[in-house]
Coordinates of all heavy atoms in Angstrom, one line a residue:
L1341 N -124.2 292.8 -21.3 CA -124.1 294.1 -20.7 C -125.4 294.9 -20.9 O -125.9 295.6 -20.0 CB -122.9 294.9 -21.2 CG -122.7 296.3 -20.6 CD1 -122.5 296.2 -19.1 CD2 -121.5 296.9 -21.3
K1342 N -125.9 294.8 -22.1 CA -127.1 295.6 -22.4 C -128.3 295.1 -21.6 O -129.1 295.9 -21.2 CB -127.4 295.5 -23.9 CG -128.6 296.4 -24.4 CD -128.7 296.3 -25.9 CE -129.8 297.2 -26.4 NZ -130.0 297.2 -27.8
E1343 N -128.4 293.8 -21.4 CA -129.5 293.2 -20.6 C -129.4 293.5 -19.1 O -130.4 293.7 -18.5 CB -129.5 291.7 -20.8 CG -129.8 291.3 -22.3 CD -129.7 289.8 -22.5 OE1 -129.1 289.1 -21.5 OE2 -130.1 289.3 -23.5
A1344 N -128.1 293.7 -18.6 CA -127.9 293.9 -17.2 C -128.1 295.4 -16.8 O -128.3 295.7 -15.6 CB -126.6 293.4 -16.8
I1345 N -127.9 296.3 -17.7 CA -127.9 297.7 -17.4 C -129.4 298.1 -17.1 O -130.3 297.7 -17.8 CB -127.3 298.5 -18.5 CG1 -125.8 298.3 -18.5 CG2 -127.6 300.0 -18.3 CD1 -125.1 299.0 -19.7
Q1346 N -129.6 298.9 -16.0 CA -130.9 299.5 -15.7 C -130.8 301.0 -15.7 O -129.7 301.6 -15.4 CB -131.3 299.0 -14.3 CG -131.3 297.5 -14.1 CD -131.7 297.1 -12.7 OE1 -132.8 297.5 -12.2 NE2 -130.9 296.2 -12.1
S1347 N -131.8 301.6 -16.1 CA -131.9 303.1 -16.3 C -132.7 303.7 -15.1 O -133.6 303.0 -14.6 CB -132.4 303.5 -17.6 OG -131.7 303.0 -18.7
L1348 N -132.4 304.9 -14.8 CA -133.1 305.7 -13.8 C -134.0 306.7 -14.5 O -133.5 307.6 -15.3 CB -132.2 306.4 -12.8 CG -131.4 305.4 -11.9 CD1 -130.4 306.3 -11.0 CD2 -132.3 304.6 -11.0
H1349 N -135.3 306.7 -14.2 CA -136.2 307.6 -14.9 C -136.0 309.0 -14.3 O -136.1 310.0 -15.1 CB -137.7 307.2 -14.6 CG -138.7 308.2 -15.1 ND1 -139.0 308.4 -16.4 CD2 -139.5 309.1 -14.4 CE1 -139.9 309.4 -16.6 NE2 -140.2 309.8 -15.3
D1350 N -135.6 309.1 -13.1 CA -135.4 310.5 -12.5 C -134.0 311.1 -12.8 O -133.8 312.3 -12.5 CB -135.5 310.4 -10.9 CG -136.9 309.9 -10.5 OD1 -137.8 310.3 -11.1 OD2 -137.0 309.2 -9.5
A1351 N -133.1 310.3 -13.4 CA -131.8 310.8 -13.8 C -131.5 310.4 -15.2 O -130.8 309.4 -15.5 CB -130.8 310.3 -12.8
P1352 N -132.0 311.2 -16.2 CA -131.7 310.9 -17.6 C -130.2 310.9 -17.8 O -129.4 311.7 -17.3 CB -132.4 312.0 -18.3 CG -133.4 312.6 -17.4 CD -132.8 312.4 -16.0
G1353 N -129.7 310.0 -18.7 CA -128.3 309.9 -19.0 C -127.5 309.0 -18.1 O -126.3 308.8 -18.3
L1354 N -128.1 308.6 -17.0 CA -127.4 307.8 -16.0 C -127.9 306.4 -16.0 O -129.1 306.1 -15.8 CB -127.6 308.4 -14.6 CG -126.9 307.6 -13.4 CD1 -125.4 307.4 -13.6 CD2 -127.3 308.2 -12.1
D1355 N -127.0 305.4 -16.3 CA -127.4 304.0 -16.3 C -126.6 303.3 -15.1 O -125.5 303.8 -14.8 CB -127.0 303.3 -17.6 CG -127.8 303.8 -18.8 OD1 -128.9 304.3 -18.5 OD2 -127.3 303.7 -19.9
V1356 N -127.2 302.3 -14.6 CA -126.7 301.6 -13.4 C -126.5 300.1 -13.7 O -127.4 299.5 -14.3 CB -127.6 301.8 -12.2 CG1 -127.0 301.1 -11.0 CG2 -127.8 303.3 -11.9
L1357 N -125.3 299.6 -13.4 CA -125.0 298.2 -13.5 C -124.8 297.7 -12.0 O -123.7 297.9 -11.4 CB -123.8 297.9 -14.3 CG -123.4 296.4 -14.4 CD1 -124.5 295.6 -15.1 CD2 -122.1 296.3 -15.2
V1358 N -125.9 297.1 -11.5 CA -125.8 296.6 -10.1 C -124.9 295.4 -10.0 O -124.4 294.9 -11.0 CB -127.2 296.3 -9.6 CG1 -128.1 297.5 -9.6 CG2 -127.8 295.2 -10.4
S1359 N -124.6 295.0 -8.8 CA -123.6 293.9 -8.6 C -124.1 292.6 -9.0 O -123.4 291.7 -9.5 CB -123.1 293.8 -7.1 OG -124.3 293.5 -6.3
G1360 N -125.4 292.3 -8.9 CA -126.0 291.0 -9.2 C -125.8 290.0 -8.0 O -125.5 290.4 -6.9
P1361 N -126.0 288.8 -8.3 CA -125.8 287.8 -7.2 C -124.4 287.8 -6.7 O -123.4 288.0 -7.4 CB -126.1 286.5 -7.9 CG -127.0 286.8 -9.1 CD -126.5 288.2 -9.6
V1362 N -124.3 287.6 -5.4 CA -123.0 287.6 -4.7 C -122.2 286.3 -5.1 O -122.7 285.2 -4.9 CB -123.1 287.7 -3.2 CG1 -121.7 287.6 -2.5 CG2 -123.9 289.0 -2.8
P1363 N -121.0 286.5 -5.7 CA -120.2 285.3 -6.2 C -119.4 284.7 -5.0 O -119.1 285.4 -4.0 CB -119.4 285.9 -7.3 CG -119.1 287.3 -6.8 CD -120.4 287.7 -6.1
P1364 N -118.9 283.5 -5.2 CA -118.0 282.9 -4.1 C -116.6 283.5 -4.2 O -115.9 283.5 -3.1 CB -118.0 281.4 -4.4 CG -118.3 281.4 -5.9 CD -119.2 282.5 -6.2
F1365 N -116.1 283.9 -5.4 CA -114.8 284.4 -5.5 C -114.8 285.8 -6.2 O -114.5 285.9 -7.4 CB -113.9 283.4 -6.3 CG -113.9 282.0 -5.7 CD1 -114.6 281.0 -6.3 CD2 -113.2 281.8 -4.5 CE1 -114.6 279.8 -5.8 CE2 -113.2 280.5 -4.0 CZ -113.9 279.5 -4.6
P1366 N -115.1 286.8 -5.4 CA -115.2 288.2 -6.1 C -113.9 288.7 -6.7 O -113.9 289.2 -7.8 CB -115.6 289.1 -4.9 CG -116.2 288.2 -3.9 CD -115.4 286.9 -4.0
T1367 N -112.8 288.5 -6.0 CA -111.5 289.0 -6.5 C -111.1 288.4 -7.9 O -110.7 289.1 -8.8 CB -110.4 288.8 -5.5 OG1 -110.8 289.3 -4.2 CG2 -109.1 289.4 -5.9
E1368 N -111.2 287.1 -7.9 CA -110.9 286.4 -9.2 C -111.8 286.8 -10.3 O -111.4 287.0 -11.5 CB -111.0 284.9 -9.0 CG -109.9 284.3 -8.2 CD -110.1 284.5 -6.7 OE1 -111.2 285.1 -6.3 OE2 -109.2 284.2 -5.9
M1369 N -113.1 287.1 -10.0 CA -114.0 287.5 -11.0 C -113.7 288.9 -11.5 O -113.8 289.2 -12.7 CB -115.4 287.4 -10.5 CG -116.5 287.7 -11.5 SD -118.2 287.3 -10.9 CE -118.1 285.5 -10.8
L1370 N -113.3 289.8 -10.6 CA -113.0 291.2 -11.0 C -111.7 291.3 -11.8 O -111.5 292.2 -12.6 CB -113.0 292.1 -9.8 CG -114.3 292.3 -9.1 CD1 -114.1 293.1 -7.8 CD2 -115.3 293.0 -10.0
S1371 N -110.8 290.4 -11.6 CA -109.5 290.4 -12.3 C -109.5 289.5 -13.5 O -108.5 289.3 -14.1 CB -108.4 289.9 -11.3 OG -108.7 288.6 -10.9
S1372 N -110.7 289.0 -13.9 CA -110.8 288.1 -15.1 C -110.8 288.8 -16.4 O -111.0 290.1 -16.4 CB -112.1 287.2 -14.9 OG -113.2 288.0 -15.0
Q1373 N -110.7 288.1 -17.5 CA -110.7 288.7 -18.8 C -112.1 289.2 -19.2 O -112.2 290.3 -19.8 CB -110.3 287.6 -19.8 CG -110.1 288.2 -21.2 CD -108.9 289.2 -21.3 OE1 -108.0 289.1 -20.5 NE2 -109.0 290.1 -22.3
P1374 N -113.2 288.6 -18.7 CA -114.5 289.1 -19.0 C -114.7 290.5 -18.4 O -115.4 291.4 -19.0 CB -115.5 288.1 -18.4 CG -114.7 286.8 -18.5 CD -113.3 287.2 -18.2
M1375 N -114.1 290.8 -17.3 CA -114.2 292.1 -16.7 C -113.5 293.2 -17.6 O -114.0 294.3 -17.7 CB -113.6 292.1 -15.3 CG -113.7 293.4 -14.6 SD -115.5 293.9 -14.2 CE -115.3 295.5 -13.5

């Protein structure tokens, strides 16, 4: 999580976790234990 988070220089205190590569099964991934 720390490696995937990106910060915005223009907005201090706001970090962004983008979606990343598009997976084949998004629903299963969002309902998984890692999530």
Side-chain angles (χ1 to χ4, degrees):
L1341 178 61
K1342 186 176 181 180
E1343 294 173 348
I1345 289 176
Q1346 303 179 53
S1347 300
L1348 293 178
H1349 175 71
D1350 296 325
L1354 176 61
D1355 295 337
V1356 180
L1357 178 61
V1358 300
S1359 63
V1362 178
F1365 305 105
T1367 305
E1368 288 76 6
M1369 185 170 290
L1370 292 175
S1371 60
S1372 62
Q1373 188 66 26
M1375 181 65 185

